[in-house]
Amino acid sequence: AQKVTQAQTEISVVEKEDVTLDCVYETRDTTYYLFWYKQPPSGELVFLIRRNSFDEQNEISGRYSWNFQKSTSSFNFTITASQVVDSAVYFCALSGYSTLTFGKGTMLLVSP
Amino acid sequence: EAGVAQSPRYKIIEKRQSVAFWCNPISGHATLYWYQQILGQGPKLLIQFQNNGVVDDSQLPKDRFSAERLKGVDSTLKIQPAKLEDSAVYLCASSSGGGTGYEQYFGPGTRLTVT
């Protein structure tokens, strides 16, 4: 069985602070994919990134960056210089040979 | 390109009543998913279609839930009879491929309240 743990239930920061959202996963599959999705108050899940298990290269997209470490089974997400519009629930998800499994999500509140 | 469409956006029913949700995926996407998201949790897959065939319905409570995708495009999810614990957001998603590595694109969801 596969499992995704997002230990941080809620994080509050002030605008312009950097924030890291943690994601730890468990799987026995040798090939798997990791995802991050954003769910703003409107409710629609928005795809942010996908990584496959063979690609541990970190990725940066604007203010967003992702750190994938197989040794610790982690796929952490950092937002640099956070903005109010970043306020949302962020989900980490995993798919191996079976369907997509989501973590419980981390609610990020960015105040002005 | 239009996104995944869902209707209705909100529905309130009494327990033991029936309800149906509709989903129209992104044009050309062969794979369609229905998820249930209970407040404070991540989405849980109910059923996955590849064209009009079912790929995975292992977590669908088949005694009360049913889904169909007759022409391989639109899909309907039905609950009959509804229970209080069915109160949740029902999300539809689609992807261009059926493999587990494809990113899924989600609709706005239908928020169901069962009283």
Side-chain angles (χ1 to χ4, degrees):
Chain A
Q2 53 190 34
K3 183 179 179 182
V4 176
T5 301
Q6 295 181 257
Q8 304 152 309
T9 305
E10 184 173 320
I11 301 175
S12 293
V13 300
V14 176
E15 210 169 17
K16 298 183 184 177
E17 285 186 28
D18 298 347
V19 58
T20 295
L21 309 180
D22 297 333
C23 173
V24 174
Y25 63 91
E26 297 175 29
T27 181
R28 295 179 181 176
D29 298 332
T30 54
T31 300
Y32 52 89
Y33 296 86
L34 294 161
F35 301 80
W36 276 95
Y37 282 86
K38 174 182 180 180
Q39 189 172 42
S42 61
E44 191 165 332
L45 278 150
V46 177
F47 167 77
L48 295 177
I49 190 172
R50 174 192 60 195
R51 305 298 288 178
N52 71 53
S53 53
F54 298 109
D55 184 1
E56 286 192 71
Q57 195 170 22
N58 292 335
E59 181 154 340
I60 298 174
S61 176
R63 296 184 296 108
Y64 296 170
S65 62
W66 291 269
N67 179 248
F68 175 28
Q69 292 192 337
K70 288 181 73 172
S71 61
T72 56
S73 298
S74 65
F75 185 43
N76 296 337
F77 173 30
T78 297
I79 301 175
T80 302
S82 59
Q83 299 177 2
V84 173
V85 293
D86 296 327
S87 295
V89 180
Y90 291 85
F91 290 96
C92 181
L94 163 71
S95 67
Y97 300 130
S98 60
T99 50
L100 199 58
T101 298
F102 285 83
K104 291 188 175 182
T106 296
M107 177 178 288
L108 174 64
L109 300 172
V110 183
S111 55
Chain B
E1 180 182 80
V4 177
Q6 289 188 248
S7 68
R9 292 296 311 276
Y10 305 92
K11 191 74 177 179
I12 300 174
I13 61 172
E14 295 181 353
K15 58 183 179 183
R16 291 187 289 274
Q17 287 187 326
S18 63
V19 63
F21 312 128
W22 173 82
C23 172
N24 182 245
I26 292 173
S27 178
H29 279 192
T31 310
L32 185 147
Y33 312 80
W34 282 102
Y35 288 86
Q36 180 192 59
Q37 185 177 18
I38 293 174
L39 186 65
Q41 297 185 20
K44 182 186 81 171
L45 180 72
L46 293 175
I47 189 167
Q48 175 184 345
F49 291 95
Q50 180 74 18
N51 296 309
N52 59 351
V54 176
V55 174
D56 184 351
D57 63 357
S58 58
Q59 298 190 89
L60 186 73
K62 298 179 186 64
D63 57 334
R64 298 184 300 105
F65 286 64
S66 64
E68 60 183 14
R69 193 185 185 199
L70 292 177
K71 296 183 178 179
V73 181
D74 293 7
S75 177
T76 303
L77 176 69
K78 297 179 181 178
I79 307 175
Q80 181 180 10
K83 293 185 175 181
L84 294 176
E85 58 260 36
D86 298 332
S87 294
V89 176
Y90 291 85
L91 296 163
C92 180
S94 69
S95 64
S96 57
T100 56
Y102 287 87
E103 61 264 34
Q104 299 178 23
Y105 295 90
F106 286 78
T110 297
R111 183 176 299 276
L112 173 67
T113 302
V114 182
T115 62

